Amino acid sequence: MCKIQCLFAVSAFLIGLVNSWDIAITSGDQIEFYTNETKTSEAGMRFKDLSALAYDAVHNMLLFVDKQSDNASIFSYQLANKKYQSLVKKRSNENIQGLAFDPVKGLLFWTDANERSIFWVSLKDRANNDPYGNLLLKMNSDIPRAIAVDSCRGYVYWTNMNITRPTIERARFDGTDRTVIVDKNIYSPVSIAVDLKTQKLYWLDDREGIHYSIETSDLEGNNRETLLVGTHHRPNALTISNNAVYWIDWGYNTVWTIPKNAPENSEPKEIVNFVDRSPFVGIVANYTISDQIDGIQGCDNLVEMAKNKSVISDLSTFKISPDEGLFCLHGEKLNGKACKCSPGYKGDRCDVYVCHNHCFEGDCSIGGDGNPQCRCNKGFTGERCQSNVCDNHCLNNGYCSLDDNAQPICNCPGDYEGSRCETLRPISTTQAPLNCNCTKETNAVFLTPSSEIHYVDVTGCDSAWDSVRDPVIMALGVICGLLCITSTVLCTRVMKLKKRPRIKKRIIVNKNVTPMTARPDQCEITIENCCNMNICETPCFEPRSTIRPTLLDSKPGKEEKKNLISNMEYPEDY
Ligand SMILES: *[C@@H]1O[C@H](CO)[C@@H](O)[C@H](O)[C@H]1NC(C)=O
Ligand SMILES: *[C@@H]1O[C@H](CO)[C@@H](O)[C@H](O)[C@H]1NC(C)=O
Ligand SMILES: *[C@@H]1O[C@H](CO)[C@@H](O)[C@H](O)[C@H]1NC(C)=O
Ligand SMILES: *[C@@H]1O[C@H](CO)[C@@H](O)[C@H](O)[C@H]1NC(C)=O
Ligand SMILES: *[C@@H]1O[C@H](CO)[C@@H](O)[C@H](O)[C@H]1NC(C)=O
């Protein structure tokens, strides 16, 4: 008996865990769920560009906007059975900023900043809906952004982002009784929430410059209080739970939180960072309906509904059936039943994006035939880019890398070569072991061309004459010797050429003898030594009066130089 009960208790606990979440966030093409600051699961992978988000705690249902869906703009997602439903057709020029749902009357409200309007549809009485939404309020100078409902008293609240006259306003569910409730000391109210339990409004104000604030008031806009003022946030959306306020900040790319009853000057706490992901846009907290109605007075409709468990997660009251509404998410309905999917989608409801998880290591695109095509990242191949070109490419422990054309190349370890390191580098030729008369088996292994393995005595074979290697070595030796001799000969030639011309004529500098009678053993210098000092531009000659009186008149200096040069002795080969 107890066993079964315990089993039930455990499974109930597990189901509770699976379904538990603190906050849900729209980010890119999915809705992410966080528990205790950790992402626990995600839904909505089939969508494209999710933005505004709302939560219906009574029916445990999320409502969200996909900005790039083909035909529909607002969808519901039931958390209990994970079913999606498209609710509203897409307007051509829409810009849905805020979304709110009243579970009691089943009314969905949204703001459109481009149309400057608030629209609604009834999920209970769909017959009377305009498929694009019924107009609640059309504004001229106001720009509606965030929206929230008070299900107990039947009001819809919204913020107006007109820079010159920002306001917070409210009206009845039918658009009557429109009132401005806050218009002082407010700048750019980007988000608003209604707390049924404490009967308070919370709003997020993106103030001038770098400042922002979170403020509260009662449901008439009186008794204003400031929960938090800070700087450098770019707040985008706010939500409240039983105890805390959460908001998305595009300044720090962060979701922050602060307790509802935080003392003055409290610092917000960082919950999730989305730097590496698509920016978070919409956020809701899991503010359970039992927490919301805990101890509240005068809200019989909602309290009764919330206590009637059969209502929760039962959308039959909303008359949403598969044949109604926009049934094909990304495609057209054929004869009221089947869907003809747009290129890139498959599934009964055209709800599955064919590219989802299709390419492992590459980018997916939709081909002309509507099928997914992968463009693989460098180094990957296969129809779904599932294989690494380096996998098992290099044999024998070769190191694989990619060349410029992303083709694998192998860096082989010492003894191997080949494009895949498949062959053993020939130590001798592959024939050598066969020519050797090796009888002893050793641990050396050679692969012959026939791939047979031969055990050979390496030392015995090494000393043998090698018909290929040794002649090559000998030829190389001969070539080297010839080269040496040639270069020596050339060197000596060059050295000889470098020698300067020698001058044979000598000039006797002894002043007491004439050149004709001079003897070699007399004091004399070789003119070469003198000449070399200045390449014979100014050759040495004696002062005319003392040295060569006989030549005085007939031979001036220049002619003498000529004479000297003509007497030079040239080497034969000059
Ligand atoms: C949440 O996480 C903190 C630390 O990350 C841990 O101390 C705490 O016990 C967790 N709470 C729950 C309910 O898991
Ligand atoms: C903002 O409101 C003022 C006065 O209500 C109006 O004159 C102005 O045109 C509005 N601004 C925009 C951008 O609509
Ligand atoms: C609970 O909800 C069901 C289904 O909507 C309804 O038939 C029933 O009357 C409700 N019970 C109460 C006590 O409201
Ligand atoms: C979706 O939109 C396209 C063009 O915008 C239209 O041709 C098609 O019929 C629409 N599909 C559905 C199901 O409304
Ligand atoms: C190889 O050596 C063995 C003895 O060790 C000898 O009987 C045989 O004739 C030799 N073979 C060749 C090809 O030299």
Side-chain angles (χ1 to χ4, degrees):
M1 251 341 250
C2 169
K3 265 186 190 166
I4 291 169
Q5 276 168 354
C6 291
L7 212 64
F8 269 121
V10 166
S11 46
F13 176 70
L14 284 177
I15 288 165
L17 267 190
V18 167
N19 290 332
S20 80
W21 50 280
D22 294 339
I23 51 173
I25 295 163
T26 50
S27 167
D29 62 359
Q30 62 197 20
I31 304 173
E32 299 181 356
F33 294 90
Y34 289 84
T35 309
N36 199 14
E37 303 174 29
T38 315
K39 185 153 107 178
T40 44
S41 67
E42 53 197 45
M45 291 296 281
R46 65 193 67 184
F47 292 93
K48 286 185 181 170
D49 188 7
L50 304 184
S51 60
L53 186 62
Y55 178 51
D56 168 8
V58 173
H59 302 96
N60 198 24
M61 172 172 76
L62 291 173
L63 300 123
F64 60 92
V65 173
D66 182 0
K67 287 196 286 186
Q68 284 180 18
S69 177
D70 294 355
N71 292 49
S73 55
I74 306 177
F75 299 79
S76 64
Y77 176 57
Q78 281 177 262
L79 291 165
N81 59 13
K82 301 194 188 308
K83 277 204 170 138
Y84 293 92
Q85 185 77 45
S86 56
L87 303 176
V88 179
K89 275 198 174 190
K90 189 184 180 73
R91 282 170 197 271
S92 57
N93 185 33
E94 68 180 14
N95 178 7
I96 298 177
Q97 293 282 336
L99 200 58
F101 186 68
D102 168 40
V104 176
K105 292 204 159 66
L107 298 177
L108 174 67
F109 297 93
W110 67 95
T111 59
D112 188 325
N114 285 353
E115 300 272 342
R116 299 195 175 197
S117 300
I118 296 175
F119 295 99
W120 65 278
V121 291
S122 166
L123 298 195
K124 280 188 174 170
D125 180 16
R126 293 182 67 85
N128 293 329
N129 286 336
D130 180 331
Y132 293 94
N134 317 305
L135 186 67
L136 184 75
L137 287 164
K138 174 83 184 165
M139 300 161 195
N140 293 319
S141 51
D142 289 1
I143 305 167
R145 191 180 201 269
I147 193 164
V149 291
D150 174 359
S151 295
C152 292
R153 283 149 288 267
Y155 281 104
V156 52
Y157 292 81
W158 71 92
T159 67
N160 155 32
M161 296 277 281
N162 181 323
I163 294 268
T164 53
R165 203 186 69 94
T167 51
I168 293 175
E169 304 183 30
R170 76 171 183 188
R172 288 284 177 190
F173 282 173
D174 57 4
T176 60
D177 202 6
R178 181 177 163 185
T179 328
V180 173
I181 58 168
V182 178
D183 62 353
K184 297 207 166 49
N185 197 17
I186 188 169
Y187 299 88
S188 191
V190 294
S191 193
I192 191 168
V194 171
D195 188 357
L196 296 178
K197 186 159 117 182
T198 59
Q199 300 196 12
K200 272 185 172 181
L201 282 179
Y202 286 79
W203 70 88
L204 190 50
D205 198 0
D206 192 357
R207 290 173 162 248
E208 289 171 315
I210 58 171
H211 301 276
Y212 75 95
S213 67
I214 294 172
E215 297 183 48
T216 65
S217 75
D218 62 25
L219 295 174
E220 274 71 44
N222 303 319
N223 300 313
R224 278 176 68 171
E225 283 173 25
T226 302
L227 181 65
L228 178 76
V229 288
T231 55
H232 291 111
H233 283 206
R234 271 178 61 211
N236 183 61
L238 154 144
T239 187
I240 47 174
S241 72
N242 200 19
N243 306 310
V245 180
Y246 301 87
W247 67 100
I248 289 172
D249 156 33
W250 287 351
Y252 288 100
N253 295 330
T254 291
V255 176
W256 302 89
T257 186
I258 192 165
K260 274 180 178 173
N261 57 359
E264 228 176 296
N265 298 327
S266 298
E267 287 291 323
K269 182 178 165 213
E270 182 177 330
I271 296 268
V272 194
N273 200 287
F274 55 91
V275 169
D276 303 327
R277 275 173 288 169
S278 311
F280 295 164
V281 184
I283 184 170
V284 290
N286 188 3
Y287 194 177
T288 61
I289 192 65
S290 46
D291 281 339
Q292 287 193 49
I293 60 171
D294 182 22
I296 61 173
Q297 305 291 320
C299 191
D300 298 343
N301 278 349
L302 186 65
V303 171
E304 214 166 283
M305 211 173 171
K307 287 189 172 156
N308 186 346
K309 296 287 183 207
S310 67
V311 170
I312 295 183
S313 299
D314 172 20
L315 286 188
S316 59
T317 48
F318 292 151
K319 294 189 178 131
I320 299 175
S321 71
D323 287 328
E324 232 183 304
L326 295 157
F327 165 57
C328 307
L329 277 184
H330 298 279
E332 283 175 62
K333 218 190 285 187
L334 293 177
N335 36 356
K337 279 204 161 182
C339 291
K340 180 171 173 280
C341 299
S342 316
Y345 291 89
K346 60 183 182 183
D348 291 349
R349 308 279 173 269
C350 305
D351 52 353
V352 182
Y353 187 44
V354 291
C355 267
H356 177 49
N357 283 346
H358 181 74
C359 306
F360 288 89
E361 294 285 346
D363 296 329
C364 184
S365 58
I366 309 296
D369 55 357
N371 289 325
Q373 291 176 346
C374 297
R375 247 192 73 214
C376 298
N377 297 337
K378 199 177 168 188
F380 289 89
T381 182
E383 199 183 326
R384 299 178 66 189
C385 306
Q386 70 276 27
S387 26
N388 190 324
V389 293
C390 267
D391 278 351
N392 298 328
H393 181 74
C394 302
L395 309 172
N396 297 312
N397 287 329
Y399 175 76
C400 181
S401 55
L402 298 178
D403 67 8
D404 291 343
N405 299 323
Q407 295 304 312
I409 44 176
C410 296
N411 194 344
C412 302
D415 293 342
Y416 293 92
E417 63 181 14
S419 62
R420 296 182 61 196
C421 307
E422 69 278 21
T423 44
L424 189 68
R425 210 183 289 271
I427 295 173
S428 56
T429 82
T430 48
Q431 294 299 329
L434 301 178
N435 293 343
C436 281
N437 188 358
C438 305
T439 48
K440 230 177 19 178
E441 288 197 355
T442 72
N443 54 3
V445 179
F446 286 83
L447 287 179
T448 66
S450 59
S451 287
E452 287 169 16
I453 295 173
H454 295 260
Y455 294 92
V456 294
D457 183 355
V458 179
T459 47
C461 293
D462 258 4
S463 54
W465 168 261
D466 185 315
S467 60
V468 175
R469 178 194 64 191
D470 295 355
V472 168
I473 290 174
M474 281 180 69
L476 284 176
V478 170
I479 290 169
C480 275
L482 283 174
L483 278 175
C484 281
I485 294 166
T486 319
S487 53
T488 318
V489 169
L490 282 174
C491 282
T492 41
R493 277 287 160 100
V494 168
M495 292 300 284
K496 270 188 190 165
L497 293 186
K498 281 276 163 77
K499 277 194 176 163
R500 290 191 168 272
R502 212 160 239 293
I503 297 167
K504 278 289 165 87
K505 180 163 181 176
R506 282 171 183 169
I507 293 172
I508 296 143
V509 293
N510 191 324
K511 62 180 180 180
N512 297 325
V513 285
T514 65
M516 293 306 165
T517 57
R519 295 194 315 268
D521 59 342
Q522 278 178 310
C523 176
E524 57 185 39
I525 58 166
T526 306
I527 194 116
E528 176 198 11
N529 294 342
C530 180
C531 211
N532 278 349
M533 291 171 200
N534 202 347
I535 314 297
C536 298
E537 269 302 322
T538 50
C540 297
F541 57 91
E542 304 78 4
R544 299 173 183 188
S545 51
T546 55
I547 302 176
R548 306 167 79 174
T550 52
L551 302 174
L552 199 75
D553 295 327
S554 57
K555 293 204 174 171
K558 217 164 192 179
E559 208 169 320
E560 191 184 8
K561 175 183 173 185
K562 213 191 244 170
N563 215 26
L564 278 170
I565 291 171
S566 71
N567 280 313
M568 282 178 180
E569 180 195 345
Y570 291 94
E572 284 165 38
D573 289 321
Y574 196 75

